[in-house]
Amino acid sequence: MTTSLIILAAGKGTRMNSELPKVLHPLGGAPLVAHAIQSGASVSPERIVVVAGHGAEAVEKAAQDYHPDLTMVRQIEQLGTGHAVLQAKDALSDFDGDAIVLFGDTPFISPDTIEEMIAARAKHAVVVLGFEAADPKRYGRLVMSGDSLDRIVEFKDASEAERAITLCNGGVVAAKASVLFDLLSQVTNDNASEEYYLTDIVSIARDQGLSATAVICAESETQGINTRADLAKAELTLQTQKRSEALENGVTLIAPETVFFSYDTVIGRDTVVEPNVVFGPDVTVESNVTLRAFSHLEGCHVSQRSIVGPYARLRPGSELSEDSKIGNFVELKNATLGEGAKVNHLSYVGDATIGANANIGAGTVTCNYDGVMKHKTVIGERAFIGSSTMLVAPVTVGRDAMTASGSVITNDVPAEALAIGRARQENKAGLAAKLFDRLISIKAKRKKDI
Ligand code: UD1
Ligand code: MG
């Protein structure tokens, strides 16, 4: 049986107290909705339908950034989770398989759990995901008779006895798409919230003699995000997971609790990550790299045996070849470093290509921006850029060339040439001593005048 996903992402998320739609709040560097799509995509669905509403344009754009092949539908008024799923009906009218409903605000559902729900569909018309809640709060409660799920009751509508149930609704539902839409067409909003509840399909299915059950997963998977506090808790969960994964994969983290990963960070074996390193999205670090303390990396690739930091910043488009070295207070952006190249101290290298074994002296700046456009700097193999060189792009320094310290390089430098671009030094004998005397007497006179 083929499956399609329906991802609910139309809600405002009032309790987030935010201008940003709830499902766009970032977790591990990616919006919540991207996490739900990623979990679901693991079962290779035939179609993925995202239901957007509140902030629809932004939600659609963000979702498509993470998964280009999505069907977007809109829920104009947010009348409840059941009403939201119904908006996917037309998009799936010619689809004959199972639909799996995932919530955009529930990012930790594992692929194994979704597989288990698909398997349970062999025996039951409706399969819901449940979990034993340590503190059930406002979650919907699952009313079971043995293995059979009788109905789901929302917290607001539950009796005292029902509120005492600790088996809760995790939000994932699996059913044949046509059955799901048929059941949903019978749902009313006759409840405490006056919403069309997706959860009501269970009792309607049972009344029609269809069977329903719950697949139980760990509570950590069903953590839903409704408040900023929930989001902070989810971030901790994700970081804890990523840190253990890195350690298991043979990465040394000297102080794991101080290292922050993105949802997609990749790090090779025997790489050492010192304390307080932060990974933004889209970072790949190969094996045997040393990432020294307080470095910040995003959108970059670091090859084997390179050393980065302490206090280095690798911005998007930074590409380090093997054995390269980036030292303290160095910023790279859209820059490629050849094998063994070094930028050791206090430099900005942007929109640049640095050849193998080139050495960029302290305080070098690629002046890449003229206030309107960006320009490129190219430095050849084994070139030596003297400290505090300003490379005014577009500019090329040839292989084996040198620039003198403090130069402002505005013209290309041929291979093997030495470029000096600064005023010639003049020494005035005895002038410093005279100047000191004069300044000291001026200062003394001022004191007397006061
Ligand atoms: C829902 C469940 C509850 C379950 C909990 C698990 C219902 C009625 N209740 O409650 O049983 O324990 O999730 O986290 O299903 N959404 C829309 N359109 C709407 C309303 C919601 O797209 O009109 C989306 C939201 O963006 C969100 C998801 O559906 O991604 C869940 O909505 P939310 O309001 O958070 O439901 P809960 O009250 O948490
Ligand atoms: Mg919720």
Side-chain angles (χ1 to χ4, degrees):
M1 176 86 75
T2 55
T3 50
S4 283
L5 303 176
I6 302 170
I7 314 251
L8 300 194
K12 180 167 189 289
T14 312
R15 282 176 283 163
M16 293 297 280
N17 189 12
S18 174
E19 287 296 314
L20 193 68
K22 174 163 77 173
V23 295
L24 292 189
H25 280 264
L27 175 69
L32 288 172
V33 67
H35 290 267
I37 294 171
Q38 202 183 25
S39 309
S42 62
V43 301
S44 306
E46 187 179 301
R47 260 174 248 178
I48 304 178
V49 184
V50 175
V51 183
H54 186 80
E57 261 174 49
V59 170
E60 288 169 357
K61 189 180 170 299
Q64 268 156 344
D65 276 353
Y66 288 86
H67 209 287
D69 199 14
L70 298 175
T71 307
M72 307 297 313
V73 299
R74 292 215 178 164
Q75 183 195 26
I76 307 299
E77 268 185 296
Q78 281 74 63
L79 302 179
T81 49
H83 179 259
V85 176
L86 259 185
Q87 310 311 305
K89 187 176 172 180
D90 287 350
L92 294 174
S93 59
D94 59 340
F95 173 70
D96 192 35
D98 270 8
I100 296 176
V101 179
L102 293 170
F103 287 177
D105 71 346
T106 309
F108 294 118
I109 305 293
S110 75
D112 286 354
T113 295
I114 299 175
E115 292 287 2
E116 230 181 288
M117 292 185 70
I118 293 173
R121 268 276 302 118
K123 287 196 191 149
H124 299 275
V126 177
V127 179
V128 165
L129 184 63
F131 66 101
E132 271 299 337
D135 170 13
K137 295 187 285 199
R138 305 179 66 82
Y139 287 115
R141 307 298 206 262
L142 303 189
V143 181
M144 307 287 296
S145 303
D147 274 352
S148 185
L149 176 62
D150 289 342
R151 62 203 166 86
I152 305 176
V153 56
E154 287 305 295
F155 177 81
K156 277 191 187 169
D157 305 292
S159 65
E160 278 307 307
E162 286 163 340
R163 286 183 182 181
I165 296 173
T166 53
L167 186 62
C168 291
N169 174 25
V172 188
V173 173
K176 190 171 163 62
S178 53
V179 172
L180 176 70
F181 294 124
D182 179 50
L183 294 171
L184 280 170
S185 68
Q186 301 168 59
V187 168
T188 67
N189 66 350
D190 183 17
N191 53 54
S193 308
E194 295 186 355
E195 284 185 6
Y196 295 87
Y197 292 157
L198 168 62
T199 44
D200 280 355
I201 63 165
V202 174
S203 58
I204 296 171
R206 295 303 308 274
D207 286 349
Q208 294 180 3
L210 296 172
S211 66
T213 195
V215 161
I216 310 298
C217 72
E219 182 170 7
S220 53
E221 285 188 41
T222 59
Q223 246 185 87
I225 285 138
N226 296 306
T227 63
R228 304 260 184 178
D230 291 340
L231 184 63
K233 203 170 138 208
E235 188 68 47
L236 179 62
T237 304
L238 182 128
Q239 294 302 335
T240 308
Q241 252 174 32
K242 292 284 166 194
R243 290 165 190 155
S244 339
E245 266 171 42
L247 294 168
E248 274 161 35
N249 292 342
V251 178
T252 294
L253 305 178
I254 293 172
E257 67 287 358
T258 69
V259 176
F260 290 83
F261 294 97
S262 268
Y263 70 104
D264 61 350
T265 309
V266 178
I267 308 186
R269 230 151 71 104
D270 291 316
T271 280
V272 175
V273 183
E274 292 185 0
N276 297 296
V277 171
V278 175
F279 296 93
D282 193 21
V283 173
T284 306
V285 177
E286 293 186 3
S287 55
N288 292 299
V289 167
T290 302
L291 300 178
R292 296 219 159 114
F294 293 99
S295 292
H296 189 283
L297 294 83
E298 67 184 307
C300 62
H301 174 213
V302 180
S303 300
Q304 291 184 55
R305 295 180 303 279
S306 294
I307 301 176
V308 173
Y311 297 98
R313 177 159 185 220
L314 302 186
R315 290 172 53 203
S318 301
E319 174 77 41
L320 273 58
S321 302
E322 295 175 7
D323 302 291
S324 52
K325 250 188 108 182
I326 298 296
N328 40 261
F329 305 107
V330 170
E331 173 181 345
L332 251 64
K333 184 218 73 172
N334 189 26
T336 304
L337 246 68
E339 271 184 45
K342 295 189 178 83
V343 190
N344 273 335
H345 332 266
L346 297 157
S347 292
Y348 171 65
V349 178
D351 301 313
T353 303
I354 313 285
N357 296 309
N359 190 316
I360 311 298
T364 294
V365 174
T366 55
C367 311
N368 61 327
Y369 186 46
D370 58 15
V372 180
M373 285 176 293
K374 301 281 170 64
H375 302 282
K376 200 168 157 75
T377 302
V378 178
I379 294 174
E381 294 180 7
R382 296 172 303 280
F384 181 90
I385 305 300
S387 293
S388 204
T389 296
M390 299 293 118
L391 295 155
V392 183
V395 73
T396 298
V397 177
R399 60 156 185 87
D400 300 294
M402 275 190 185
T403 67
S405 285
S407 289
V408 179
I409 302 295
T410 52
N411 297 319
D412 288 353
V413 181
E416 297 184 11
L418 165 66
I420 309 175
R422 63 182 187 215
R424 185 175 288 277
Q425 180 174 329
E426 231 182 289
N427 292 342
K428 311 266 189 197
L431 194 61
K434 272 190 204 157
L435 198 58
F436 273 132
D437 285 348
R438 208 166 91 209
L439 294 172
I440 288 164
S441 72
I442 292 172
K443 194 174 173 188
K445 189 164 173 289
R446 279 194 190 157
K447 252 192 191 156
K448 225 168 69 195
D449 290 350
I450 296 164

